[in-house]
């Protein structure tokens, strides 16, 4: 399927579908796609040159000729209510042991998606990725449970319990 920018081989189908489920195939499209991970947008302080490259690549992709997209700024949304409770009151802590089954399912999907994106999707000439080596490094994190013992978020939670 060209809309997926790949040929959708049997190996891809195994990565993209759950047992017993069918993959919806879209009509042919030749539109270029720019793939950006949110981590790339939070990279300005630690890697200003890579952040500049992302902003230049985005500017080129959308056709800005003389301008460059300014630095990205994360704005935390205000707390909103949901069924009479604040957003914070309705949150779960995915790190808690009772959510291990959900994390396992998410990890399986994240692993398969990261493999497909790197091995197939990124290989298309119609897919644009700024700093592909860094992007692949970020994809590798999808293969690890950050809340498992030894994971990044596990260590943070131990240092700063709520």
């Amino acid at each position: 399927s060209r809309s997926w920018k790949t040929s959708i081989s049997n190996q891809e189908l195994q990565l993209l579908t759950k047992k017993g489920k069918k993959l919806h195939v879209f009509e042919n499209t030749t539109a270029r796609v720019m793939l950006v991970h949110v981590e790339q947008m939070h990279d300005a302080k630690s890697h200003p040159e890579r952040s500049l490259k992302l902003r230049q690549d985005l500017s080129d992709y959308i056709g800005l000729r003389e301008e460059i997209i300014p630095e990205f700024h994360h704005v935390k949304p205000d707390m909103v209510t949901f069924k009479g409770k604040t957003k914070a009151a309705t949150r779960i802590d995915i790190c808690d042991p009772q959510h291990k089954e959900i994390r396992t399912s998410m990890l399986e999907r994240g692993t398969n998606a990261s493999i497909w994106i790197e091995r197939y999707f990124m290989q298309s000439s119609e897919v644009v990725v700024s700093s592909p080596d860094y992007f692949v490094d970020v994809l590798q994190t999808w293969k690890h449970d950050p809340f498992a013992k030894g994971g990044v978020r596990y260590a943070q939670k131990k240092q700063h319990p709520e």
Side-chain angles (χ1 to χ4, degrees):
S1 162
R2 290 210 184 271
S3 63
W4 288 82
K5 309 301 181 198
T6 71
S7 62
I8 304 292
S9 67
N10 286 336
Q11 290 93 356
E12 288 181 84
L13 283 173
Q14 288 176 340
L15 290 170
L16 294 173
T17 58
K18 246 184 139 171
K19 290 181 178 142
K21 301 278 185 177
K22 278 189 156 185
L23 180 67
H24 177 75
V25 179
F26 297 93
E27 292 184 28
N28 187 12
T29 180
T30 57
R32 288 181 37 181
V33 173
M34 181 157 190
L35 195 55
V36 178
H37 192 285
V38 71
E39 289 294 323
Q40 291 175 284
M41 295 182 192
H42 299 292
D43 206 26
K45 287 183 181 173
S46 58
H47 294 90
E49 65 289 336
R50 194 164 57 206
S51 176
L52 176 62
K53 172 136 178 51
L54 171 63
R55 292 182 291 118
Q56 287 171 329
D57 290 346
L58 278 168
S59 296
D60 292 344
Y61 177 75
I62 62 174
L64 295 179
R65 301 201 191 294
E66 296 177 23
E67 298 179 44
I68 188 164
I69 293 174
E71 283 190 29
F72 302 103
H73 296 283
H74 176 70
V75 177
K76 190 171 185 173
D78 293 327
M79 295 302 281
V80 295
T81 59
F82 177 75
K83 295 185 180 178
K85 298 179 181 178
T86 65
K87 194 175 188 181
T90 61
R91 290 184 183 160
I92 65 165
D93 186 344
I94 195 72
C95 189
D96 288 344
Q98 69 261 33
H99 303 298
K100 173 114 175 82
E101 187 176 329
I102 295 168
R103 289 197 321 271
T104 300
S105 176
M106 291 170 61
L107 188 60
E108 179 183 341
R109 291 173 189 201
T111 297
N112 290 343
S114 67
I115 291 168
W116 179 78
I117 291 168
E118 179 184 0
R119 194 178 294 166
Y120 301 102
F121 194 62
M122 287 178 59
Q123 303 311 312
S124 171
S125 60
E126 296 174 348
V127 175
V128 177
V129 179
S130 184
S131 303
D133 291 340
Y134 174 62
F135 189 88
V136 168
D137 287 346
V138 172
L139 284 180
Q140 297 308 308
T141 67
W142 294 13
K143 298 175 182 178
H144 306 282
D145 182 352
F147 300 105
K149 195 167 188 174
V152 175
R153 297 292 298 264
Y154 176 85
Q156 290 171 348
K157 188 168 176 83
K158 286 291 187 188
Q159 290 176 353
H160 307 286
E162 293 178 12

